[in-house]
Amino acid sequence: MAIAVLALLGGWAMVLLARSREAPPPLPPYEVPALAPDEPLPPPPSGRLASRQVLRLNNSAEPATLDPAKMTGLHELNVALALFEGLTSLHPRTLRPVPGVAESWDVSPDGRRYVFHLRPARWSNGGPLTAADFVWSWQRVLDPATQAKYASLLYCIEGARPGSGPPGFRALDERTLEVRLEAPTPYLLELLAFATFAPVPRGSVEAHQERWTRPGSLVSNGPFILAEWRPFERILLRRNPHYWDAGRAAIEEIDVLAISDAETALKKCLNSELDWIRELPGEKVAAAARLPGFRYAPQLNTYFFRFNVGRPPLDDRRVRQALNLAVDKESIARYLLRAGQRPARSFVPPILPGYTPPEGPAYHPEHARRLLADAGYPGGRGFPRLALLYNSSGSHQQIAEAIQHMWKAELGIHIALTNQEWGVYQTSMQNRDYDIARSSWVADYADPSSFLDCFATGSGNNRTGWSHAGYDEQLALAARETDPIRRMALLREAERILVCDEMPILPLYFYVNAYVVHPRVRGVYDNWRNFHPYQYVYVAAD
Amino acid sequence: MLAFVLRRLFASAVTLLAIVVLSFVLMRAVPGGPFDQEKPLDPRIRERLEASYGLNDPIAVQCLRYVGKLLRGDLGPSLRRPDASVNSILAAGFPKSALLGGTALLIALLVGGLAGVYAALHHNTIRDHAAMGLVMIGVSIPSMVLAPLLVSLFALTLHWFPTSGWGTLGHLVLPATALGLAYAARIARLTRGGMLEVLRQDFIRTARAKGLSEAAVVRRHALRLGLAPLVSYLGPATASILTGSFVIEQVFAIPGMGAHFINAATDRDYTLALGTVLVYSTLLVGLNLVADVSQALLDPRIRPG
């Protein structure tokens, strides 16, 4: 028996080897769709629908929690999106804030006071959802006992910071909520769609404590309810009949799987056991590109390197500029990454409506050599031995090797490569114990400030030691500016200082998200956050 | 015999305690922490989190507190998963890994044991070489190669089984086979070696000389001693197979315990990592004890004094 099995497998391995083809050509760089800012919401499902409206999707990992107040990661937010809805929700295509539980809102002229008018919404147990529910839920987020990791998102609200007095939100009546802000926050409406601001069911939380997120006790207000939760395996969601827009949601049931191995997920897709893979690592893109439902979309996510400006010669702007100019980002994107990424000449990805980032200098090895010579290292002579740090996973090593080679070939300097396991790397970054380090940044909201605030003096995300009065000033002016066009101009000037003059960073490329959605599944739109509200999704008939 | 078992039980408890303390200290010596992420948390929030889990106390205090809770059967909260306790995570994962591992072990014993005995009885013939050749292939193919091959053939092409997942008997077949075959190969080699050694011994010649049939010689005399090396291998092997295989559970998307060993360590989820270490080492120590006792029962020459 064993002999037969092994012989069969051997033969099969030969067949597979014979079938394997040459590597496919690289994917073309993504195109940014032109979208009107006032794009209407997609129409309800049209055409013939499949009789079984079931969605089987891979979320790639087990969510750490189903309590929206405690969530931080995408794998949690993907489920929160089905279960909970905040005052606002996001347009599935443009990600512009659209009414959620709040039907409408008024903003004061100084942009610091919002009044939200709630619709007559209900919880999944039929109980009314009121302004007091939001007040209680937000107070819960701010309560240290809750251990909400992203409580700091609420700090744009007056008095929300620890020890700064009673928080500036209150229920004016059952269906009216007032929010007062520290400063005008143009992205507040978008922020309110984030899970941290979602209402949670007071009765259930108080009765079950931290066990309230189990099926049965998890009362929710979004388009779906939690039917079953088998940890590390699947989460089963069912349509919530009490959702205010229940008429729109066509999907009856969502099976959210936690398959971490991308190859396994792809095989499930091939075998029609799965309809939707939310994310694919770069090395699986070539294999997935052959599937009919393969797609990729630009993300508000930048891959870059930090220079530790506290360590000479990286304190010299010319050295940082030389290192930037000597890297051929175009080749790295096209020949190494091959999955539709675009090389980065700015820190903010050029996909935000209303904001055109400044263009940093192009690849120019000759100029780079001159700059390095001006800094006192002609032909790289006398340049100290620096190390490039990256965390040991994915394609970071290949990218680091390519850059190491470019610097050697163009500038004549030798940079050592150091890789560290994720946790160790995090500690090195926190302690600024590196020379040059691989980094990435994802925006929390669609605004350039979500990127640019990182490099303000004293920001916890700076981690380069770089500090520039002019940069800080532009950001401060922008934070006070209420005119959106003038504000964007200020932010653009700040970014110009960052990526054209000072260069404490080396932006390398902008991420894309590669994913697979079965062609039968409709209503999933490419967007920069891989964010797909499930009430717009439906399954068309074959 | 009872005194021997009791003595070993006591030694096992001391070993386990040493493992817990050592793992605790080693884990905390590694840089990084459970609340590190690419986007750093607000420092005040981070401090509050660390304080609430007692991570700011001296290591000795934390360790004592952990052991205290452990004696009451509480493995603590998971530092990365606020909705779950370590007890609940392991209680959900272990039975799945154990069922998969148990099935794989049965396959391994059946295939490996038979192949080993068969090869030993046909020592130095073409049958021996054929069986052992196959076994060599089995040893050499890692499960991360074998498993996708099985999936590609039996799930994607023949559609006999689902590609991955958990829940039905059909879901169990491919992963248990992939996991079992690797162990089967080792078991076959051990069985063959053990049997060959015994078959050469005087008392077997005596048994044959008495006129016993070859089958009776093998069953009544040779197997008992020939299996001794296998039994001592089975102790640690069982502990490792029952606590799950990272590769197999990844490839087949099985919500067992295998992934926690790796992920808890990289996540710096100290309590969950300690929990996995504890489950594995308890099984290992316990099964080694069982192996020692059964060896004593199998071989009259090993009798504890």
Side-chain angles (χ1 to χ4, degrees), chain B residues 5-299:
Chain B
V5 172
L6 283 177
R7 214 165 47 231
R8 285 294 307 268
L9 269 178
F10 177 73
S12 304
V14 174
T15 311
L16 281 177
L17 186 69
I19 289 173
V20 168
V21 173
L22 209 65
S23 315
F24 196 100
V25 174
L26 281 177
M27 205 158 45
R28 301 304 298 276
V30 178
F35 307 118
D36 283 344
Q37 47 190 58
E38 186 122 30
K39 258 174 222 229
L41 295 179
D42 186 276
R44 278 163 302 195
I45 293 173
R46 189 193 164 106
E47 226 162 81
R48 269 179 352 209
L49 273 169
E50 285 171 348
S52 73
Y53 288 111
L55 296 177
N56 298 329
D57 301 334
I59 290 286
V61 174
Q62 291 186 45
C63 191
L64 270 179
R65 194 164 45 212
Y66 181 80
V67 174
K69 274 175 139 185
L70 188 62
L71 291 176
R72 293 193 297 273
D74 181 4
L75 295 169
S78 159
L79 300 183
R80 282 278 185 158
R81 305 186 173 278
D83 296 11
S85 67
V86 173
N87 289 52
S88 72
I89 292 176
L90 295 181
F94 179 66
K96 292 166 188 143
S97 289
L99 176 59
L100 171 64
T103 316
L105 197 61
L106 278 181
I107 295 176
L109 281 172
L110 208 71
V111 175
L114 286 178
V117 173
Y118 178 84
L121 292 180
H122 299 92
H123 183 47
N124 269 342
T125 65
I126 183 77
R127 294 174 188 181
D128 176 19
H129 298 317
M132 282 302 114
L134 277 174
V135 161
M136 275 315 292
I137 295 175
V139 174
S140 326
I141 301 179
S143 48
M144 68 175 84
V145 175
L146 184 63
L149 269 178
L150 286 172
V151 172
S152 164
L153 178 58
F154 292 105
L156 286 178
T157 308
L158 298 172
H159 299 288
W160 290 359
F161 304 105
T163 54
S164 59
W166 187 252
T168 67
L169 200 62
H171 284 111
L172 194 59
V173 177
L174 293 183
T177 311
L179 187 57
L181 284 184
Y183 284 88
R186 263 163 271 167
I187 288 174
R189 284 177 61 82
L190 280 169
T191 313
R192 175 177 176 272
M195 286 297 286
L196 278 182
E197 193 158 315
V198 175
L199 285 174
R200 275 197 288 265
Q201 295 208 0
D202 288 346
F203 75 96
I204 295 290
R205 205 173 312 141
T206 312
R208 286 196 182 123
K210 280 195 301 189
L212 276 178
S213 72
E214 190 62 24
V217 170
V218 171
R219 262 203 319 270
R220 291 239 302 269
H221 298 280
L223 261 184
R224 232 177 113 143
L225 281 183
L227 291 184
L230 178 62
V231 168
S232 55
Y233 164 75
L234 274 182
T238 310
S240 120
I241 204 171
L242 290 185
T243 45
S245 144
F246 179 72
V247 172
I248 294 292
E249 291 184 6
Q250 286 280 297
V251 170
F252 292 99
I254 293 168
M257 233 179 98
H260 298 323
F261 280 92
I262 312 282
N263 294 342
T266 42
D267 285 352
R268 305 289 191 270
D269 192 336
Y270 300 134
T271 41
L272 182 56
L274 270 178
T276 55
V277 167
L278 203 68
V279 169
Y280 177 70
S281 44
T282 308
L283 268 173
L284 186 65
V285 168
L287 287 169
N288 267 333
L289 180 62
V290 171
D292 286 354
V293 172
S294 15
Q295 218 157 20
L297 293 177
L298 277 173
D299 188 342

Side-chain angles (χ1 to χ4, degrees), chain A residues 324-333 335 343 363 403 406 508:
Chain A
N324 257 288
L325 288 169
V327 172
D328 182 1
K329 302 167 183 177
E330 181 79 39
S331 293
I332 290 181
Y335 301 114
Y363 174 55
I403 289 180
M406 288 171 185
L508 190 67

